[in-house]
């Protein structure tokens, strides 16, 4: 049971506010934002996702730069509230097509209509996009997708031999094409998030892939979908680690530790030919979630070294090597490294001809940041940083630095080699052939290298 729900912008502007029970003061949004902006509690640099102020529990998640917040005075499961906030954001995106401050303000009538159907007097009724269609009567005002940031979700899929249409991830489930006709199409995204820890000598200590197959359907008539995966797919890691790495061409068995499926998926043929059958509900939903801890070739190698060059000086050397095909490009790459707490100044030296690279020293938390707009497969990039200290180091400077962490996005690439072999749509008489879009993306979840 929740008392209030509201959405705040990065500036603290109240975009959406709904009070369901009247138990929490009306100024809760201002109290929350001031607490988050000026958080001071021990060693935490930013507010935790849940905290209590004057007997009110505040839960929040950040979605595309917006703060989705719920309040309550009762003791409720944080996991339940976080899941609810994520689902509300997903439902709003399904109906608006684009989730940002502009679309929320222009479609506030539709958003409030959705909130009143999702939650009644603080109790959740449904978060199903398909079920809500029976109760929602307002049409969304379409926002021009061209105004989105170039680093938005529509941009990371713009590479490859066949470009995605601009409306691929910015289309409402209820909006129609000019002329009142809906475009028949279906999108399948294989999204993998990698967690890797490298030792100081470059060996892989831990590695894991958390993957999901996301589907978003704009097909009328609810036809049956058949989605075929690798025939050599194995569920359960009972066979032990795979000797060596699989090649990027996809050879070698795909071994998943475990997986789960959406409630609409039928598994009648899965054991025999690895085919999933389903009638997709409206909106975006995960067809399958999976986890893999078998050996795989990491997309990047990180080499880091820090050594003293004087009584009050040291030098950091970083090298990032892209170990994927040259036809693939990684976007929005960022490398971060904590420095000794007595570091006062940092000067950077990039490699000759470095384009699209920026460096920064965050003095507040003593952190080095190196951003690369893109990295082509097979390339190497290096950075030297000269550190100046306010006092002499009295310990091991290596232990007071690091570890190095890295974030990135690689479109049209997946590490596990899990693939959609074909996507079959049940035939309907009198309609044209629907468009099918299958996309792959790999992202860093926890990509860490010890020094």
């Amino acid at each position: 049971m929740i008392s209030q729900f509201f959405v705040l912008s990065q500036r603290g502007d109240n975009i959406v506010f709904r009070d369901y029970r009247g138990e929490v003061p009306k100024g809760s949004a201002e109290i929350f934002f001031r607490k988050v902006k000026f958080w001071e509690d021990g060693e935490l640099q930013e507010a935790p996702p849940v905290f209590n102020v004057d007997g009110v529990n505040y839960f929040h998640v950040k979605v595309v730069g917006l703060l989705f917040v719920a309040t309550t005075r009762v003791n409720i499961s944080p996991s339940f509230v976080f899941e609810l906030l994520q689902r509300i954001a997903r439902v709003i995106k399904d109906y608006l097509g684009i989730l940002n401050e502009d679309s929320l303000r222009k479609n506030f009538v539709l958003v409030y209509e959705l909130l009143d159907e999702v939650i009644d007097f603080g109790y959740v009724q449904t978060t199903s996009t398909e079920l809500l269609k029976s109760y929602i009567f307002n049409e969304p005002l379409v926002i021009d997708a061209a105004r989105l940031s170039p680093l938005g979700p529509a941009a990371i899929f713009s590479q490859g031999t066949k470009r995605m249409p601009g409306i691929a991830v910015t289309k409402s489930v209820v909006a129609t094409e000019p002329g009142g006709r809906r475009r028949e199409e279906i999108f399948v995204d294989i999204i993998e998030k990698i967690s890797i820890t490298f030792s100081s000598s470059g060996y892989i200590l831990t590695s894991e892939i958390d993957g999901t197959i996301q589907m978003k359907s704009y097909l009328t008539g609810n036809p049956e979908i058949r989605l075929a995966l690798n025939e050599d797919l194995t569920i359960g890691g009972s066979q032990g680690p795979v000797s060596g790495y699989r090649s990027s061409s996809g050879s070698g068995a795909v071994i998943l530790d475990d997986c789960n499926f959406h409630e609409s998926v039928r598994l009648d043929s899965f054991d025999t030919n690895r085919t999933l059958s389903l009638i997709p509900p409206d909106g975006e939903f995960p067809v399958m979630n999976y986890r893999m801890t078998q050996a795989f070739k990491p997309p990047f190698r990180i080499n880091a070294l820090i050594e003293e060059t004087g009584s009050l000086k040291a030098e950091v050397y970083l090298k990032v090597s892209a170990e994927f095909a040259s036809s693939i490009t990684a976007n929005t790459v960022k490398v971060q490294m904590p420095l000794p707490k007595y570091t006062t100044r940092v000067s950077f030296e990039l490699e000759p001809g470095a384009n699209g690279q920026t460096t920064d020293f965050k003095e507040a938390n003593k952190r080095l940041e190196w951003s690369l707009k893109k990295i082509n497969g097979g390339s190497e990039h290096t950075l030297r940083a000269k550190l100046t200290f306010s006092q002499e180091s009295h310990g091991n400077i290596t232990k007071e630095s690091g570890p190095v962490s890295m974030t990135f996005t690689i479109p049209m690439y997946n590490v596990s080699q899990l693939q959609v072999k074909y996507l079959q749509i049940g035939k309907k008489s009198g309609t044209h052939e629907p468009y099918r879009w299958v996309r792959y993306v790999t992202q860093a979840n926890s990509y860490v290298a010890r020094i």
Side-chain angles (χ1 to χ4, degrees), residues 364-433:
N365 48 19
K366 307 299 182 184
R367 189 176 70 236
L368 174 156
E369 290 189 357
W370 178 24
S371 300
L372 301 93
K373 190 174 182 181
K374 64 178 182 178
I375 295 181
N376 295 323
S379 62
E380 292 183 350
H381 298 274
T382 58
L383 171 70
R384 288 184 181 274
K386 296 180 180 180
L387 315 182
T388 302
F389 301 142
S390 60
Q391 65 182 53
E392 290 191 31
S393 173
H394 298 291
N396 189 335
I397 193 174
T398 303
K399 291 183 179 180
E400 300 180 40
S401 307
V404 179
S405 60
M406 186 176 183
T407 59
F408 54 81
T409 298
I410 313 177
M412 305 313 295
Y413 175 81
N414 73 327
V415 179
S416 70
Q417 304 304 326
L418 182 70
Q419 296 179 358
V420 175
K421 294 300 183 181
Y422 65 81
L423 182 62
Q424 192 177 71
I425 302 173
K427 294 292 184 181
K428 298 180 294 178
S429 60
T431 60
H432 63 278
E433 186 69 15

Side-chain angles (χ1 to χ4, degrees), residues 300-421:
F300 290 101
R301 288 279 180 178
I302 307 172
N303 297 99
L305 177 67
I306 182 171
E307 55 184 5
E308 295 188 62
T309 56
S311 59
L312 296 174
K313 294 183 178 180
E315 189 169 300
V316 173
Y317 174 78
L318 294 174
K319 183 173 77 170
V320 174
S321 305
E323 301 198 341
F324 44 86
S326 58
S327 59
I328 298 171
T329 302
N331 299 327
T332 59
V333 180
K334 178 180 283 189
V335 180
Q336 298 182 335
M337 176 180 169
L339 301 175
K341 60 181 180 296
Y342 41 81
T343 305
T344 57
R345 189 165 60 88
V346 180
S347 60
F348 297 97
E349 181 182 328
L350 290 167
E351 58 195 353
N355 294 320
Q357 299 186 28
T358 59
T359 55
D360 192 14
F361 171 54
K362 301 294 184 181
E363 192 169 358
N365 48 19
K366 307 299 182 184
R367 189 176 70 236
L368 174 156
E369 290 189 357
W370 178 24
S371 300
L372 301 93
K373 190 174 182 181
K374 64 178 182 178
I375 295 181
N376 295 323
S379 62
E380 292 183 350
H381 298 274
T382 58
L383 171 70
R384 288 184 181 274
K386 296 180 180 180
L387 315 182
T388 302
F389 301 142
S390 60
Q391 65 182 53
E392 290 191 31
S393 173
H394 298 291
N396 189 335
I397 193 174
T398 303
K399 291 183 179 180
E400 300 180 40
S401 307
V404 179
S405 60
M406 186 176 183
T407 59
F408 54 81
T409 298
I410 313 177
M412 305 313 295
Y413 175 81
N414 73 327
V415 179
S416 70
Q417 304 304 326
L418 182 70
Q419 296 179 358
V420 175
K421 294 300 183 181

Side-chain angles (χ1 to χ4, degrees), residues 25-36 51 53-54 58:
K26 294 293 184 182
S28 57
E30 178 66 21
I31 295 172
F32 166 80
F33 186 72
R34 290 185 63 83
K35 192 71 174 176
V36 168
F51 56 85
V53 179
D54 298 330
Y58 292 86

Side-chain angles (χ1 to χ4, degrees), residues 6-65:
F6 50 90
V7 181
L8 302 182
S9 70
Q10 293 179 332
R11 303 180 304 276
D13 297 335
N14 209 334
I15 304 172
V16 175
F17 185 92
R18 176 63 83 202
D19 192 338
Y20 292 103
R21 300 183 62 85
E23 301 172 336
V24 177
K26 294 293 184 182
S28 57
E30 178 66 21
I31 295 172
F32 166 80
F33 186 72
R34 290 185 63 83
K35 192 71 174 176
V36 168
K37 186 175 181 180
F38 304 105
W39 181 264
E40 292 181 2
D41 187 4
E43 297 181 354
L44 290 177
Q45 297 175 358
E46 58 183 27
V50 56
F51 56 85
N52 183 286
V53 179
D54 298 330
V56 178
N57 298 313
Y58 292 86
F59 304 82
H60 75 280
V61 297
K62 185 175 286 188
V63 183
V64 293

